[in-house]
Amino acid sequence: IYIISRPPKTQRCSTHTSREQRIHNKSQQKQKMMNKLLLLLVCTVATCCSAFAPPTARMPFTAAPSSTSVNMLNEAMEVVTSNSMMLAETEAWVYPLKNVLDPSLNLLSFAMLCRVVISWYPTVNVNEVPYNIVVWPTEPLLRMIRGTVPPAFGVDITPIVYLGIFTFLHEILLGQQGLLTMKIKYGI
């Protein structure tokens, strides 16, 4: 027969207390980790959102002074807004020009690409409904240089010339390192 002896009451309390202490410490560590992750998430979201918003549209968070997590968010926003990678102030004409040029150059490039595909089928009647939507707006542009650019292998390559021009302009002005993009990001 085994005799189970209980430890004295004081020893049981200290063991129980140290167990509670470990659980409490683990919950504090988890809370600190969650605060760090939240801070990282806020910094990431704020940086990403600031890339798409004009500089005047950014506003700092406002919070009650008693909340420590909200104060941490405010500090994170101050760090993010003081970052040198933030958008610079730009002239008023840059955003409207970008907003007009981007869809226009993309639409013209797509229309010229459609004209390239249509030119592969010479028997297609371009005055029918699906084709005339692309042909009629692009024909004046193509007519200007059609005499100077001869067909290659029986295929009209003037849409390819315009496709190259529109793609080049889009990349130079609005690409990742384009002139208007740099003007918006860095105020160059």
Side-chain angles (χ1 to χ4, degrees), residues 37-54:
L37 288 174
L38 181 64
L39 180 65
L40 179 65
L41 178 68
V42 167
C43 289
T44 305
V45 169
T47 303
C48 291
C49 291
S50 67
F52 298 108

Side-chain angles (χ1 to χ4, degrees), residues 29 65 136:
Q29 288 174 348
W136 290 348

Side-chain angles (χ1 to χ4, degrees), residues 71 108 123 135 152 160 165 170 172-173 179:
N71 288 338
L108 286 169
T123 59
V135 171
I160 296 172
I165 290 170
H170 189 273
I172 291 296
L173 295 174
L179 296 173

Side-chain angles (χ1 to χ4, degrees), residues 142-150 158:
L142 295 174
R143 199 176 300 142
M144 286 191 292
I145 66 164
R146 192 170 275 146
T148 58
V149 178
T158 52

